[in-house]
Amino acid sequence: MSDTAQGAVLVISSHVVRGSVGNRAAVFALETLGHPVWALPTIVLPWHPGHGRSTRLTFSEADFDLAIDDILAAPWLPEVKAVLSGYFANAAQARSVARLVTALREKSPELFYACDPVIGDLGGLYVPQPTAEAIRDHLLPLASLATPNRYELAWLSGAPLDDNNAVMEAALALGPSRMLVTSAVPMMTGGTGNLYLSGRNALLAEHRSIDNAPNGLGDLLASLFLSRLMSGMEEERALQLATASVFEVLARAVKRGSDELTLAADAASLSTPMAMVQMRHLMHPSQRRKK
């Protein structure tokens, strides 16, 4: 698939000086798979805060909004076929990106928007509640694809998600036509899964769980799955390959004892993963309602 056919992706998320999270993970993955990438940072940090003190270099809300204006006025804008958003430093940035996506859709109705709502984990929200609410209220209604983890989906839907039926019902109620939920409830012992729900498919991609995983897996999965869908690949195959790539990169990084994903060393795992993934077809919520 040529660069022109796949199209450029505008990626909007955090940037770290050291590490492979946020834009650092997404840009590398998308470029490895052949996409030109436009990258807009929402915040700059020396490294992921999980490693220790990390000064937040932020932009004023007005300056960020002006950058959105510049992008919308760019003569190269027709290059952009998809937008991927991740971490936001404040609620105003989420509203600015909603304005961007809406304006892009007016020019190109087929624009694909992937929203990775980076707002929390098992411990709860790690962004201010107004930021999470702005993502829920302004961005998710625009999304072609959303990629929350199970704990983010639980907060966004306001429902406990103790099993995959509850995950699918919450995904269906939230709105985006395609939802990829990470940290889904595994069916295999010692495993973890990615649950994908669309109008046609309810799929679970599982692999064994690995302890002490470096950060950035969600950023990586969202970008890989987006790329596979943009290439025209069938949903099941796209999910299988994206999940296999992430598992392979994770396993290799942990084997090396690295505290970050080692993407440069494992670029081949992004394009041609060899890891085995257990694929399961689940009963779609629409089928359950017919019974």
Side-chain angles (χ1 to χ4, degrees):
M1 186 70 68
S2 69
D3 290 353
T4 302
Q6 287 193 337
V9 182
L10 170 56
V11 183
I12 306 167
S13 191
S14 58
H15 176 87
V16 291
V17 176
R18 175 192 182 269
S20 297
V21 301
N23 270 9
R24 288 290 302 275
V27 172
F28 186 91
L30 288 164
E31 289 184 338
T32 297
L33 293 181
H35 297 273
V37 178
W38 297 23
L40 175 63
T42 54
I43 189 171
V44 177
L45 306 102
W47 42 77
H48 188 280
H51 293 316
R53 184 179 181 277
S54 187
T55 301
R56 294 168 62 91
L57 305 175
T58 58
F59 307 100
S60 73
E61 294 177 7
D63 283 346
F64 189 85
D65 213 41
L66 286 173
I68 295 294
D69 289 337
D70 291 343
I71 291 170
L72 286 172
W76 317 281
L77 196 61
E79 297 173 2
V80 176
K81 304 302 181 186
V83 175
L84 169 62
S85 69
Y87 181 88
F88 290 102
N90 54 57
Q93 289 181 344
R95 292 191 292 269
S96 293
V97 171
R99 180 170 68 86
L100 169 73
V101 172
T102 300
L104 287 173
R105 285 249 173 88
E106 290 174 356
K107 299 172 185 289
S108 301
E110 71 281 3
L111 178 91
F112 196 102
Y113 170 46
C115 177
D116 184 10
V118 183
I119 60 174
D121 54 24
L122 180 59
L125 290 181
Y126 50 58
V127 301
Q129 185 162 326
T131 302
E133 290 172 347
I135 293 170
R136 179 193 65 197
D137 298 341
H138 296 282
L139 290 176
L140 282 176
L142 298 173
S144 313
L145 166 71
T147 61
N149 63 43
R150 177 159 51 106
Y151 314 108
E152 290 165 335
L153 179 59
W155 186 89
L156 291 164
S157 64
L161 305 180
D162 298 326
D163 59 50
N164 285 333
N165 287 335
V167 170
M168 287 189 284
E169 292 292 349
L172 201 62
L174 203 57
S177 59
R178 301 175 182 90
M179 185 81 76
L180 175 57
V181 184
T182 61
S183 303
V185 180
M187 297 178 69
M188 61 184 289
T189 302
T192 186
N194 297 322
L195 191 156
Y196 177 68
L197 185 71
S198 69
R200 294 176 296 173
N201 287 311
L203 302 168
L204 182 65
E206 292 183 284
H207 58 76
R208 64 181 175 86
S209 182
I210 296 178
D211 294 331
N212 302 314
N215 296 108
L217 298 174
D219 305 303
L220 186 61
L221 181 67
S223 56
L224 291 170
F225 189 58
L226 169 62
S227 174
R228 297 301 187 182
L229 291 180
M230 288 179 70
S231 75
M233 188 175 289
E234 289 293 324
E235 292 175 334
E236 183 171 357
R237 181 62 172 160
L239 177 62
Q240 181 183 20
L241 284 179
T243 301
S245 289
V246 172
F247 175 55
E248 198 166 299
V249 166
L250 168 60
R252 291 177 184 275
V254 170
K255 186 175 181 179
R256 294 187 182 100
S258 175
D259 63 354
E260 292 284 350
L261 300 178
T262 48
L263 298 182
D266 297 322
S269 296
L270 305 181
S271 54
T272 53
M274 303 298 290
M276 298 297 293
V277 173
Q278 174 71 51
M279 298 296 296
R280 302 179 191 270
H281 287 257
L282 307 180
M283 182 176 289
H284 197 283
S286 61
Q287 294 176 303
R288 289 201 303 274
R289 287 173 185 146
K290 290 177 182 178
K291 293 190 173 183

